[in-house]
Amino acid sequence: MTGSEHATHGGTYGTALVLPPLFTGVAAAGPGAVFAQACALAGPETAGTLVHADDGRDLAFAVVLVPAEPLRTARRAFLVCMGALADAIGSLAPPEKAIRFGWPDVVRFNGAILGGGRLAWPRDCAEDAVPDWLVFGATLIVSKRHAGDPGLTPDSTSIEEEGFPVEDRGSFMKCSAQFLMRAFAIWGEDGFPPLADAYLSRLSGDAAPCAITETGDCITGARTLLLRPALEAVAWCDPETGSPRL
């Protein structure tokens, strides 16, 4: 599998999107179609397929993963991918502004919602069976001009508002893929704990998190935050638009 582009419709990047080896790019019709398209393509033979789109309002990508462990523990890949996403954002973001997570899937930048991540798996897969695939997807807000005065949506922000370089957002897709490769290499070589620590270091909330369990749940001391039902809720996403809530 090579870093190539299988389609040219959808978001434009000035030049063809170039991805690292092991990834294959597929352009979608729009950000709202990215996740569903990746799930439709998902399977052992399509590992590394990265579906993407950018319509000037949102930027979205979704990547097909093939786990080697039972579903109940394989969902931890979501937390690994969120850490990689934050690293990619941080590598391109203006300095000295914090990137934080709202459990488990909200991405906050400079205190406001910038977007979020999500995970899909085969619905007929038993918890103790190895799934044929997982799909990790992420959506970030590029611009809120369509929403009117920013004062009307103070809980969210955008790449444009925060001063990210916006001329070549294709570089963000490439950067995200590179950090995903790095994160999964760490998981393979050093195990999950360092990646869990990296995720926890960005997690915000009332109670200080102290551990991630083998099933990806978060222990805060006062209570345990369950991963699976939180992933099924996708609280950051507006179901009518497929975009982050403003």
Side-chain angles (χ1 to χ4, degrees):
M1 194 178 298
T2 58
S4 59
E5 184 73 359
H6 277 184
T8 57
H9 59 284
T12 58
Y13 301 97
T15 59
L17 179 63
V18 178
L19 295 170
L22 305 181
F23 288 89
T24 300
V26 175
V34 163
F35 193 67
Q37 185 168 335
C39 291
L41 292 171
E45 70 285 354
T46 57
T49 298
L50 189 148
V51 183
H52 61 90
D54 170 10
D55 65 359
R57 292 186 179 185
D58 297 331
L59 175 155
F61 74 86
V63 62
V64 178
L65 309 171
V66 178
E69 56 185 77
L71 179 57
R72 62 187 298 271
T73 60
R75 285 195 192 89
R76 293 179 299 173
F78 175 78
L79 306 178
V80 173
C81 291
M82 287 291 284
L85 175 63
D87 287 340
I89 294 170
S91 71
L92 299 173
E96 299 180 359
K97 291 187 178 180
I99 303 166
R100 295 286 183 263
F101 299 137
W103 174 260
D105 54 0
V106 179
V107 177
R108 295 184 178 274
F109 186 83
N110 199 24
I113 295 173
L114 181 62
R118 60 196 307 182
L119 189 76
W121 56 89
R123 288 298 167 177
D124 59 353
C125 182
E127 288 292 298
D128 290 326
V130 177
D132 288 338
W133 54 268
L134 299 173
V135 170
F136 172 77
T139 303
L140 301 180
I141 303 168
V142 172
S143 174
K144 299 202 302 178
R145 294 186 187 187
H146 62 286
D149 190 322
L152 300 174
T153 53
D155 295 331
S156 62
T157 189
S158 69
I159 287 173
E160 184 178 69
E161 285 181 66
E162 297 295 343
F164 283 70
V166 296
E167 293 78 10
D168 180 16
R169 292 191 291 273
S171 62
F172 175 76
M173 303 292 187
K174 180 179 180 180
C175 185
S176 296
Q178 290 171 331
F179 277 106
L180 283 169
M181 288 178 62
R182 175 178 176 272
F184 281 104
I186 291 172
W187 196 354
E189 295 171 6
D190 301 326
F192 183 69
L195 299 164
D197 290 343
Y199 178 89
L200 290 172
S201 71
R202 296 185 185 275
L203 188 59
S204 59
D206 296 334
C210 58
I212 298 291
T213 71
E214 68 169 6
T215 57
D217 302 329
C218 179
I219 299 173
T220 66
R223 60 193 180 108
T224 298
L225 306 174
L226 301 179
L227 180 61
R228 177 175 179 172
L231 290 177
E232 291 173 334
V234 197
W236 59 266
C237 183
D238 184 335
E240 293 186 3
T241 64
S243 297
R245 298 180 188 273
L246 300 180

